[in-house]
């Protein structure tokens, strides 16, 4: 009887007006939060919650004077599904219920539009805590998906733990590559003919696919990483050969630039104490 | 290490190549200042240059860029307290901790944010690796050419 008496739009308001005195402070805050606060819930759940509480309270009020908040609270989470099934004939589907909820929210004239509005799904808990947890979990899974696309060879992996391990391995291998390459670069060249032009064109051309294992020298440290993609070095060589015509001009330009730069920056090179640095520690520069 | 000021104009101002430009400039500077004999110091400086050019090219809103550039500042002033940090290193309790230690500035972020930063960091890191590889290849190529001629 109470179910049918409640209009769709004013359901919870009526419930509030019916038993205002019986509401404990907590529940009042919660009700307020339902309509004016950060998170919106489906009408079925709001009404379910409120109906449940009012039914319980009014029933109890007849028998006893004081209503224990514990009873109401415990009943909500456990019996909310039961209540929903009872409420089903009134509310056709969750979709229409959400529409009703939208109407309610618009009636309430919520000023706090900056918050992310989350709808609680059917059959799930409606605690604000669990909603926040759900939002957080969704964010995390979304980012894991992005990472899955980024890390090569991880399309088949499902599950956060394994994915996390893969990500850690990938970042570690990248940092090791940087170390190795920096040592190699340190040994290789005092030459000044830096072909910036070549590098720019190469960077523009190759784009996204990762270049691993260009030459036999590189293959050993990278081979341990399972998802390594090998791009034939002929492509890079071809790119460079096409640019070799402009080497001389760039050399002159670079020399001039360097001389200018050196003259302008008159700071003497600092003597940095590097002896104690552990090789594998990427945190320390 | 000190960076050259960007006094001269970039011949090809493209967004993707800021990283390359910074790295090459600092590399040239390292070639001038540090002699070949001090190999260890050179490799340290090159590695630092790689990370700094990564951080310079990326958006300064990222936590890891701020962490790297902050470290650079500390290094310049000679006040880097690495002893203190090594004592504070705890055993790896959660799988998240490993990732936190890998990504610079990842100690005080919640997991959600950490994943975001990892995506960005991994992107720039792979770009940097590509740049360094191409530099090595080009050096090898030019040396070959010299030997032939």
């Amino acid at each position: 009887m109470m179910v049918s008496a409640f209009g769709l739009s004013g359901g919870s308001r009526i419930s509030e007006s019916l038993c205002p005195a019986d509401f404990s402070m907590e529940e009042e805050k919660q009700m307020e939060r339902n309509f004016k606060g950060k998170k919106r819930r489906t009408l079925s759940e709001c009404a379910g919650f409120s109906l449940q509480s009012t039914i319980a309270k009014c029933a109890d009020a007849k028998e006893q004077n004081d209503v224990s908040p514990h009873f109401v609270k415990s009943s909500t989470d456990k019996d909310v599904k039961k209540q929903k099934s009872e409420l089903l004939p009134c509310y056709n589907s969750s979709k229409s219920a959400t529409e009703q909820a939208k109407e309610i929210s618009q009636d309430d004239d919520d000023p706090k539009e900056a918050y992310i509005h989350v709808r609680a799904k059917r059959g799930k808990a409606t605690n604000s805590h669990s909603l926040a947890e759900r939002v957080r979990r969704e964010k995390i899974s979304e980012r894991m998906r992005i990472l899955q696309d980024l890390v090569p060879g991880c399309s088949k992996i499902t599950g956060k733990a394994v994915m996390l391990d893969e990500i850690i391995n990938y970042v570690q291998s990248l940092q090791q590559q940087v170390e190795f390459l920096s040592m190699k670069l340190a040994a290789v060249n005092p030459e000044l003919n830096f072909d910036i032009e070549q590098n720019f064109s190469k960077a523009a051309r190759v784009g996204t696919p990762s270049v691993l294992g260009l030459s036999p020298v590189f293959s050993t440290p990278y081979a341990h990483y399972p998802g390594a993609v090998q791009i034939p070095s002929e492509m890079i060589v071809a790119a460079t050969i096409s640019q070799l015509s402009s080497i001389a001009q760039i050399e002159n330009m670079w020399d001039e630039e360097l001389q200018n730069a050196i003259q302008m920056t008159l700071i003497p090179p600092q003597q940095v104490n590097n002896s104690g640095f552990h090789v594998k520690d990427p945190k320390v520069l | 290490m000190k960076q050259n000021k960007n006094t001269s104009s970039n011949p090809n101002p493209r967004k993707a190549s800021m990283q390359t430009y910074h790295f090459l400039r600092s590399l040239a500077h390292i070639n001038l200042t540090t002699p070949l004999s001090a190999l260890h110091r050179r490799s340290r400086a090159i590695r630092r240059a790689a990370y700094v050019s990564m951080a310079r090219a990326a958006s300064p809103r990222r936590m890891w860029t701020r962490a790297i550039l902050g470290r650079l500042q500390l290094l310049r002033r000679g006040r880097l307290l690495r002893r203190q940090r090594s004592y504070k290193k705890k055993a790896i309790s959660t799988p998240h901790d490993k990732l936190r230690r890998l990504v610079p500035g990842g100690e005080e972020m919640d997991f959600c944010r950490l994943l975001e930063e990892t995506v960005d960091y991994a992107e720039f890191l792979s770009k940097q690796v590509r740049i360094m590889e191409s530099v090595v290849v080009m050096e090898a190529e030019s040396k070959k050419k010299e030997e032939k001629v």
Side-chain angles (χ1 to χ4, degrees), chain A residues 234-247:
Chain A
E234 295 97 56
M235 212 169 81
I236 311 280
V237 171
T240 59
I241 286 176
S242 60
Q243 300 296 319
L244 285 177
S245 53
S246 51
I247 285 183

Side-chain angles (χ1 to χ4, degrees), chain A residues 175-202:
Chain A
Q175 281 175 342
Q176 281 169 16
Q177 282 176 32
V178 169
E179 286 265 350
F180 179 77
L181 280 169
S182 70
M183 283 198 288
K184 186 148 177 68
L185 275 177
V188 159
N189 63 340
E191 299 169 2
L192 281 183
N193 45 352
F194 272 119
D195 307 319
I196 312 176
E197 196 68 40
Q198 293 181 21
N199 262 341
F200 284 156
S201 52
K202 180 255 162 196

Side-chain angles (χ1 to χ4, degrees), chain A residues 5-261:
Chain A
F6 281 43
L8 286 181
S9 57
S12 33
R13 284 208 202 110
I14 294 176
S15 71
E16 258 186 289
S17 60
L18 267 182
C19 317
D22 288 338
F23 271 88
S24 59
M25 279 308 294
E26 281 182 77
E27 287 182 27
E28 246 182 333
K29 281 183 200 165
Q30 236 176 357
M31 292 295 285
E32 272 180 53
R33 255 194 306 147
N34 280 349
F35 300 110
K36 298 179 191 169
K38 305 178 185 183
K39 303 196 170 91
R40 307 276 166 76
R41 309 187 185 175
T42 58
L43 178 62
S44 56
E45 292 184 315
C46 286
F49 174 77
S50 57
L51 278 176
Q52 177 67 32
S53 53
T54 50
I55 289 170
K57 289 215 167 198
C58 295
D60 282 349
K62 287 175 190 172
E63 298 173 21
Q64 316 160 11
N65 281 338
D66 48 343
V67 182
S68 59
H70 291 295
F71 171 77
V72 179
K73 266 206 167 171
S74 60
S75 58
T76 47
D77 281 347
K78 289 177 193 172
D79 301 343
V80 82
K81 283 184 191 173
K82 222 191 339 174
Q83 285 300 313
K84 248 174 275 176
S85 55
E86 285 180 27
L87 291 172
L88 260 179
C90 295
Y91 311 104
N92 291 330
S93 64
S94 56
K95 245 191 179 177
S96 62
T98 55
E99 288 174 26
Q100 304 294 337
K102 274 184 192 164
E103 283 177 20
I104 282 193
S105 55
Q106 279 164 12
D107 289 345
D108 284 336
D109 194 49
D110 193 333
K112 299 179 188 175
E113 287 296 335
Y115 290 106
I116 299 172
H117 301 304
V118 182
R119 300 224 175 276
K121 293 189 179 153
R122 288 185 56 146
K124 304 241 170 114
T126 62
N127 265 350
S128 62
H129 290 299
S130 45
L131 274 177
E133 267 295 311
R134 195 161 64 87
V135 167
R136 194 176 151 269
R137 257 180 276 143
E138 279 173 5
K139 266 198 205 172
I140 287 182
S141 52
E142 185 192 323
R143 285 179 189 154
M144 296 286 278
R145 251 176 282 142
I146 297 175
L147 273 169
Q148 208 173 24
D149 296 331
L150 201 62
V151 180
C154 282
S155 50
K156 295 175 188 170
I157 297 180
T158 48
K160 279 204 289 183
V162 187
M163 192 60 220
L164 201 63
D165 281 340
E166 276 298 312
I167 292 165
I168 289 174
N169 282 340
Y170 182 59
V171 173
Q172 261 176 349
S173 74
L174 280 179
Q175 281 175 342
Q176 281 169 16
Q177 282 176 32
V178 169
E179 286 265 350
F180 179 77
L181 280 169
S182 70
M183 283 198 288
K184 186 148 177 68
L185 275 177
V188 159
N189 63 340
E191 299 169 2
L192 281 183
N193 45 352
F194 272 119
D195 307 319
I196 312 176
E197 196 68 40
Q198 293 181 21
N199 262 341
F200 284 156
S201 52
K202 180 255 162 196
R205 262 188 228 199
V206 177
T208 38
S210 60
V211 179
L212 294 178
L214 285 179
S215 61
V217 183
F218 288 125
S219 56
T220 34
Y222 303 164
H224 73 279
Y225 191 77
V229 172
Q230 294 228 351
I231 293 187
S233 47
E234 295 97 56
M235 212 169 81
I236 311 280
V237 171
T240 59
I241 286 176
S242 60
Q243 300 296 319
L244 285 177
S245 53
S246 51
I247 285 183
Q249 303 167 12
I250 292 175
E251 272 187 37
N252 295 336
M253 196 165 61
W254 190 232
D255 284 345
E256 281 175 23
E257 277 186 29
L258 271 182
Q259 284 173 13
N260 290 339

Side-chain angles (χ1 to χ4, degrees), chain A residues 143 175 177 179 186 188-189 191 194 197 199-200 204 207 211 214 262 267 274 277 279 283-285, chain B residues 2 12 14 17 31-32 42 47 71 82 101-103 112 116 121 129-130 133-134 137-139:
Chain A
R143 285 179 189 154
Q175 281 175 342
Q177 282 176 32
E179 286 265 350
V188 159
N189 63 340
E191 299 169 2
F194 272 119
E197 196 68 40
N199 262 341
F200 284 156
V211 179
L214 285 179
I262 291 163
I267 310 167
N274 286 326
F277 283 30
V279 178
K283 280 272 183 179
V284 180
L285 280 174
Chain B
K2 68 175 168 81
N12 284 339
R14 263 174 260 163
S17 56
N31 278 333
L32 285 172
R42 266 176 75 111
R47 205 192 69 152
R71 242 188 288 159
R82 49 191 162 82
R101 240 173 279 155
L102 281 178
V103 177
C112 208
E116 213 182 304
Y121 183 59
V129 166
R130 259 178 278 152
E133 280 173 350
S134 62
V137 164
M138 275 167 206
E139 292 299 323

